[in-house]
Amino acid sequence: MSPVSKPRKKSGSSARKPSRRSGSSARSARLRLPGLKEVYRAFCDAGPVFAALPDALEAELWISTHLGLLQESSPDRGAGLLAALLDLVDELERTGRPEACAMLHGLAAIGPAALHEPAASAADRMSAAAAHQGRSWPQPRWLDLLGQTTPGDCWHTMDRYGELEQILCTFVHRDGDRPHGILIERDHSWHGAAIDITAIDDTEGCRKHLAKAARKDGSELLPLTHTAAHHALKDAFTAFLAHGLASPARPDVHPDEEFFSALAFSVARSRQLDTQAPEGDQPSLAETWDEAARDALVQEYLASPAGVAQDTTLGRMAPKLLIRLSVDVLGRDPRRIGPATLTRIFTDALPGSLLLPDALLDEVPAAITGYYTWLAEQHLPRQDRKEVLRVLRRRTAALPRVLAASPQPLRAYIADIQQGGHDGDVLQAVIDRRGFVIPEPGQRWAPAGIDSEDVDDLDPADEEERALLVQEEMRARRVPRRLHPVHEVLANQLWLDNPPQLWSAAQRLRDTGLSREQVLDRLADVLSEHLSKVLQAAPDQVPGLEHYTRSLDALGHSA
């Protein structure tokens, strides 16, 4: 396979600064994104390089490469990118140069669909202004061929796990010159997103390579209709724009420069595959795998010998969680598993979703292995299971360590739970209680002059750091210093749920409409009063815990 060569600007090329002689001088020069002014200027100055390119294909790839630079650097590949492109159209029109007009035609042909009309209209205005002024307007001989291609054969191949799909679509310009193609790789273990894009000039060599690789993998290279290819590429590009290449938990996974260089070109070519033949309405994955379908698959597993062998609360909980992660996080049919799918589950999905106390971490591998081994036996040919089970063993062996090191902020709130920690309702109740006394990172009080990140980094499970968190909140709320120790004791009692009457009282007070801070202050008043009586009482008259709990029980009741 050989990617189409991409033209490079020669060091000796004569770049000119923009002229303001355009007939569009009356148009506003106000930029939507003024911070990109130098980028627009560089694009305009490259006009002579663009006009000197040898053919339409090289010109289209040049446009795609430079659009890719904008796409790669744009944090918002939606409205923000379109605003930048509209700025670029305006700047090109303002130069009044013939090569800028040619670049506008290139943007209309290769840019996003929403750019076609603005770019084409700007080019028409420039041509009309030149004609009105009687100016000669030389244009590249290939200008009318931009975007004018005829689709040829389309092919695709899928690996035996249904995870990696490769799609080859061929094209030729209207003049029959430079047959070429696009090769798209889709990752069906991640929403079917496009993960690699290449422009191809040796289409026959690429087709033979794909056929050979498919045979080696035990699959085959199959023809695709233009309509099917169009919808497959549209879905692949849409999934990439929506989900990227990985979950937000893996910010290091992103496309390389070559991906963005060919993106606009490939999207434009995919539009030319649309024969206007509508694809039959297909239900979405979430609709196919609604709660009833998910529960049916769980029950099928639990009724099997493998499911009976894992008859624990965690063993019953794991299948439903894994199904949810496949459908909702990976965009993947939960019955389809392979090495890439399992890797995605263990790297993109589980660490951010599975929240368990330390006491249960060692039980996780058996629960997950039991379900996935059953799934492989039900839905994979025998010869394909070996690699899947090898990946499964390796990933599950490391999972307790991965989960223990997970950056989930809520882990600190439940890590020490021993009794009943396998029950999701119990865990949620603990998180509610402890999150009430020490809010999660991002929601904590920080006094003026203290970096909120320093407060968020404190560990509420550590008694000393919990005390610091309480002190910082008291300072931020300007609670009198004499009450800080009382609030520290109160925080420890709520964290440990001792006495349990304390959290019950807090919930009743909260239900009356009091804010969290007001509830804590009311509880602190009761605790302070109790401690004062303890300190002031004679040794044989010290009030016991029952005095404190009776006071708590009296709180929050309606009159």
Side-chain angles (χ1 to χ4, degrees), residues 536-556:
Q536 296 171 8
D540 58 344
Q541 296 180 344
V542 174
L545 181 62
E546 66 279 0
H547 173 270
Y548 178 40
T549 57
R550 281 198 303 271
S551 299
L552 293 173
D553 288 340
L555 291 174

PDB file of all heavy atoms in Angstrom, residues 536-556:
ATOM      1  N   GLN A 536     -18.367  19.416  82.581  1.00  0.00           N
ATOM      2  CA  GLN A 536     -18.757  20.149  83.786  1.00  0.00           C
ATOM      3  C   GLN A 536     -19.355  19.250  84.858  1.00  0.00           C
ATOM      4  O   GLN A 536     -19.479  19.658  86.015  1.00  0.00           O
ATOM      5  CB  GLN A 536     -19.790  21.233  83.413  1.00  0.00           C
ATOM      6  CG  GLN A 536     -19.229  22.313  82.488  1.00  0.00           C
ATOM      7  CD  GLN A 536     -20.303  23.248  81.959  1.00  0.00           C
ATOM      8  OE1 GLN A 536     -21.460  23.191  82.400  1.00  0.00           O
ATOM      9  NE2 GLN A 536     -19.923  24.105  81.004  1.00  0.00           N
ATOM     10  N   ALA A 537     -19.712  18.031  84.515  1.00  0.00           N
ATOM     11  CA  ALA A 537     -20.398  17.157  85.470  1.00  0.00           C
ATOM     12  C   ALA A 537     -19.432  16.591  86.504  1.00  0.00           C
ATOM     13  O   ALA A 537     -18.222  16.435  86.253  1.00  0.00           O
ATOM     14  CB  ALA A 537     -21.084  16.020  84.722  1.00  0.00           C
ATOM     15  N   ALA A 538     -19.982  16.303  87.671  1.00  0.00           N
ATOM     16  CA  ALA A 538     -19.200  15.630  88.701  1.00  0.00           C
ATOM     17  C   ALA A 538     -18.849  14.234  88.199  1.00  0.00           C
ATOM     18  O   ALA A 538     -19.566  13.663  87.361  1.00  0.00           O
ATOM     19  CB  ALA A 538     -20.010  15.547  89.994  1.00  0.00           C
ATOM     20  N   PRO A 539     -17.763  13.651  88.730  1.00  0.00           N
ATOM     21  CA  PRO A 539     -17.330  12.342  88.232  1.00  0.00           C
ATOM     22  C   PRO A 539     -18.423  11.284  88.274  1.00  0.00           C
ATOM     23  O   PRO A 539     -18.472  10.423  87.390  1.00  0.00           O
ATOM     24  CB  PRO A 539     -16.170  11.987  89.164  1.00  0.00           C
ATOM     25  CG  PRO A 539     -15.630  13.314  89.592  1.00  0.00           C
ATOM     26  CD  PRO A 539     -16.821  14.206  89.718  1.00  0.00           C
ATOM     27  N   ASP A 540     -19.289  11.324  89.255  1.00  0.00           N
ATOM     28  CA  ASP A 540     -20.319  10.291  89.340  1.00  0.00           C
ATOM     29  C   ASP A 540     -21.607  10.678  88.623  1.00  0.00           C
ATOM     30  O   ASP A 540     -22.610   9.967  88.699  1.00  0.00           O
ATOM     31  CB  ASP A 540     -20.639   9.996  90.816  1.00  0.00           C
ATOM     32  CG  ASP A 540     -21.111  11.234  91.556  1.00  0.00           C
ATOM     33  OD1 ASP A 540     -20.899  12.357  91.033  1.00  0.00           O
ATOM     34  OD2 ASP A 540     -21.693  11.083  92.643  1.00  0.00           O
ATOM     35  N   GLN A 541     -21.598  11.822  87.930  1.00  0.00           N
ATOM     36  CA  GLN A 541     -22.811  12.269  87.236  1.00  0.00           C
ATOM     37  C   GLN A 541     -22.571  12.567  85.753  1.00  0.00           C
ATOM     38  O   GLN A 541     -23.345  13.271  85.122  1.00  0.00           O
ATOM     39  CB  GLN A 541     -23.357  13.526  87.916  1.00  0.00           C
ATOM     40  CG  GLN A 541     -23.814  13.282  89.352  1.00  0.00           C
ATOM     41  CD  GLN A 541     -24.355  14.540  89.999  1.00  0.00           C
ATOM     42  OE1 GLN A 541     -24.130  15.646  89.502  1.00  0.00           O
ATOM     43  NE2 GLN A 541     -25.080  14.378  91.102  1.00  0.00           N
ATOM     44  N   VAL A 542     -21.495  12.032  85.201  1.00  0.00           N
ATOM     45  CA  VAL A 542     -21.166  12.275  83.782  1.00  0.00           C
ATOM     46  C   VAL A 542     -22.263  11.649  82.907  1.00  0.00           C
ATOM     47  O   VAL A 542     -22.539  10.450  83.027  1.00  0.00           O
ATOM     48  CB  VAL A 542     -19.798  11.672  83.415  1.00  0.00           C
ATOM     49  CG1 VAL A 542     -19.542  11.806  81.908  1.00  0.00           C
ATOM     50  CG2 VAL A 542     -18.695  12.354  84.216  1.00  0.00           C
ATOM     51  N   PRO A 543     -22.887  12.467  82.030  1.00  0.00           N
ATOM     52  CA  PRO A 543     -23.941  11.905  81.177  1.00  0.00           C
ATOM     53  C   PRO A 543     -23.359  10.903  80.183  1.00  0.00           C
ATOM     54  O   PRO A 543     -22.284  11.119  79.616  1.00  0.00           O
ATOM     55  CB  PRO A 543     -24.512  13.131  80.452  1.00  0.00           C
ATOM     56  CG  PRO A 543     -23.433  14.165  80.516  1.00  0.00           C
ATOM     57  CD  PRO A 543     -22.696  13.914  81.801  1.00  0.00           C
ATOM     58  N   GLY A 544     -24.041   9.815  79.985  1.00  0.00           N
ATOM     59  CA  GLY A 544     -23.551   8.782  79.078  1.00  0.00           C
ATOM     60  C   GLY A 544     -23.957   9.032  77.638  1.00  0.00           C
ATOM     61  O   GLY A 544     -24.590  10.044  77.301  1.00  0.00           O
ATOM     62  N   LEU A 545     -23.606   8.073  76.782  1.00  0.00           N
ATOM     63  CA  LEU A 545     -23.892   8.203  75.354  1.00  0.00           C
ATOM     64  C   LEU A 545     -25.394   8.311  75.092  1.00  0.00           C
ATOM     65  O   LEU A 545     -25.818   8.998  74.160  1.00  0.00           O
ATOM     66  CB  LEU A 545     -23.314   6.998  74.591  1.00  0.00           C
ATOM     67  CG  LEU A 545     -23.517   6.986  73.067  1.00  0.00           C
ATOM     68  CD1 LEU A 545     -22.829   8.178  72.411  1.00  0.00           C
ATOM     69  CD2 LEU A 545     -23.011   5.675  72.473  1.00  0.00           C
ATOM     70  N   GLU A 546     -26.186   7.654  75.959  1.00  0.00           N
ATOM     71  CA  GLU A 546     -27.633   7.672  75.718  1.00  0.00           C
ATOM     72  C   GLU A 546     -28.192   9.093  75.809  1.00  0.00           C
ATOM     73  O   GLU A 546     -29.166   9.429  75.140  1.00  0.00           O
ATOM     74  CB  GLU A 546     -28.356   6.754  76.702  1.00  0.00           C
ATOM     75  CG  GLU A 546     -28.309   7.179  78.166  1.00  0.00           C
ATOM     76  CD  GLU A 546     -27.000   6.773  78.851  1.00  0.00           C
ATOM     77  OE1 GLU A 546     -26.140   6.154  78.163  1.00  0.00           O
ATOM     78  OE2 GLU A 546     -26.854   7.069  80.051  1.00  0.00           O
ATOM     79  N   HIS A 547     -27.552   9.944  76.603  1.00  0.00           N
ATOM     80  CA  HIS A 547     -28.000  11.347  76.687  1.00  0.00           C
ATOM     81  C   HIS A 547     -27.795  12.033  75.334  1.00  0.00           C
ATOM     82  O   HIS A 547     -28.660  12.777  74.838  1.00  0.00           O
ATOM     83  CB  HIS A 547     -27.216  12.078  77.779  1.00  0.00           C
ATOM     84  CG  HIS A 547     -27.492  13.559  77.831  1.00  0.00           C
ATOM     85  ND1 HIS A 547     -26.757  14.472  77.095  1.00  0.00           N
ATOM     86  CD2 HIS A 547     -28.429  14.281  78.505  1.00  0.00           C
ATOM     87  CE1 HIS A 547     -27.218  15.678  77.318  1.00  0.00           C
ATOM     88  NE2 HIS A 547     -28.254  15.589  78.176  1.00  0.00           N
ATOM     89  N   TYR A 548     -26.647  11.771  74.718  1.00  0.00           N
ATOM     90  CA  TYR A 548     -26.325  12.359  73.415  1.00  0.00           C
ATOM     91  C   TYR A 548     -27.278  11.839  72.334  1.00  0.00           C
ATOM     92  O   TYR A 548     -27.828  12.599  71.543  1.00  0.00           O
ATOM     93  CB  TYR A 548     -24.864  12.025  73.085  1.00  0.00           C
ATOM     94  CG  TYR A 548     -24.362  12.519  71.735  1.00  0.00           C
ATOM     95  CD1 TYR A 548     -24.702  13.768  71.237  1.00  0.00           C
ATOM     96  CD2 TYR A 548     -23.521  11.711  70.962  1.00  0.00           C
ATOM     97  CE1 TYR A 548     -24.216  14.212  70.014  1.00  0.00           C
ATOM     98  CE2 TYR A 548     -23.017  12.143  69.738  1.00  0.00           C
ATOM     99  CZ  TYR A 548     -23.382  13.391  69.270  1.00  0.00           C
ATOM    100  OH  TYR A 548     -22.886  13.832  68.068  1.00  0.00           O
ATOM    101  N   THR A 549     -27.514  10.546  72.319  1.00  0.00           N
ATOM    102  CA  THR A 549     -28.361   9.963  71.267  1.00  0.00           C
ATOM    103  C   THR A 549     -29.817  10.399  71.430  1.00  0.00           C
ATOM    104  O   THR A 549     -30.532  10.548  70.435  1.00  0.00           O
ATOM    105  CB  THR A 549     -28.254   8.438  71.268  1.00  0.00           C
ATOM    106  OG1 THR A 549     -28.619   7.923  72.558  1.00  0.00           O
ATOM    107  CG2 THR A 549     -26.842   7.986  70.924  1.00  0.00           C
ATOM    108  N   ARG A 550     -30.273  10.587  72.696  1.00  0.00           N
ATOM    109  CA  ARG A 550     -31.639  11.077  72.882  1.00  0.00           C
ATOM    110  C   ARG A 550     -31.787  12.481  72.297  1.00  0.00           C
ATOM    111  O   ARG A 550     -32.808  12.808  71.678  1.00  0.00           O
ATOM    112  CB  ARG A 550     -32.019  11.092  74.366  1.00  0.00           C
ATOM    113  CG  ARG A 550     -32.402   9.735  74.927  1.00  0.00           C
ATOM    114  CD  ARG A 550     -33.179   9.879  76.234  1.00  0.00           C
ATOM    115  NE  ARG A 550     -32.420  10.631  77.233  1.00  0.00           N
ATOM    116  CZ  ARG A 550     -31.572  10.097  78.102  1.00  0.00           C
ATOM    117  NH1 ARG A 550     -31.366   8.779  78.108  1.00  0.00           N
ATOM    118  NH2 ARG A 550     -30.933  10.853  78.974  1.00  0.00           N
ATOM    119  N   SER A 551     -30.763  13.288  72.472  1.00  0.00           N
ATOM    120  CA  SER A 551     -30.802  14.644  71.903  1.00  0.00           C
ATOM    121  C   SER A 551     -30.821  14.591  70.383  1.00  0.00           C
ATOM    122  O   SER A 551     -31.507  15.384  69.724  1.00  0.00           O
ATOM    123  CB  SER A 551     -29.585  15.451  72.380  1.00  0.00           C
ATOM    124  OG  SER A 551     -29.589  15.582  73.783  1.00  0.00           O
ATOM    125  N   LEU A 552     -30.077  13.648  69.830  1.00  0.00           N
ATOM    126  CA  LEU A 552     -30.065  13.503  68.373  1.00  0.00           C
ATOM    127  C   LEU A 552     -31.417  13.021  67.868  1.00  0.00           C
ATOM    128  O   LEU A 552     -31.922  13.490  66.840  1.00  0.00           O
ATOM    129  CB  LEU A 552     -28.968  12.525  67.949  1.00  0.00           C
ATOM    130  CG  LEU A 552     -27.517  12.976  68.176  1.00  0.00           C
ATOM    131  CD1 LEU A 552     -26.561  11.838  67.860  1.00  0.00           C
ATOM    132  CD2 LEU A 552     -27.189  14.203  67.315  1.00  0.00           C
ATOM    133  N   ASP A 553     -32.013  12.087  68.599  1.00  0.00           N
ATOM    134  CA  ASP A 553     -33.305  11.542  68.180  1.00  0.00           C
ATOM    135  C   ASP A 553     -34.401  12.599  68.178  1.00  0.00           C
ATOM    136  O   ASP A 553     -35.418  12.447  67.488  1.00  0.00           O
ATOM    137  CB  ASP A 553     -33.719  10.388  69.094  1.00  0.00           C
ATOM    138  CG  ASP A 553     -32.891   9.138  68.853  1.00  0.00           C
ATOM    139  OD1 ASP A 553     -32.292   9.028  67.765  1.00  0.00           O
ATOM    140  OD2 ASP A 553     -32.833   8.277  69.760  1.00  0.00           O
ATOM    141  N   ALA A 554     -34.195  13.662  68.967  1.00  0.00           N
ATOM    142  CA  ALA A 554     -35.220  14.705  69.049  1.00  0.00           C
ATOM    143  C   ALA A 554     -35.145  15.683  67.879  1.00  0.00           C
ATOM    144  O   ALA A 554     -36.057  16.499  67.687  1.00  0.00           O
ATOM    145  CB  ALA A 554     -35.060  15.468  70.367  1.00  0.00           C
ATOM    146  N   LEU A 555     -34.069  15.605  67.079  1.00  0.00           N
ATOM    147  CA  LEU A 555     -33.876  16.564  65.995  1.00  0.00           C
ATOM    148  C   LEU A 555     -34.673  16.176  64.745  1.00  0.00           C
ATOM    149  O   LEU A 555     -34.827  14.999  64.423  1.00  0.00           O
ATOM    150  CB  LEU A 555     -32.392  16.641  65.607  1.00  0.00           C
ATOM    151  CG  LEU A 555     -31.438  17.276  66.617  1.00  0.00           C
ATOM    152  CD1 LEU A 555     -30.001  17.143  66.128  1.00  0.00           C
ATOM    153  CD2 LEU A 555     -31.780  18.752  66.832  1.00  0.00           C
ATOM    154  N   GLY A 556     -35.159  17.194  64.033  1.00  0.00           N
ATOM    155  CA  GLY A 556     -35.713  16.991  62.704  1.00  0.00           C
ATOM    156  C   GLY A 556     -37.130  16.470  62.643  1.00  0.00           C
ATOM    157  O   GLY A 556     -37.619  16.182  61.540  1.00  0.00           O
TER     158      GLY A 556
END
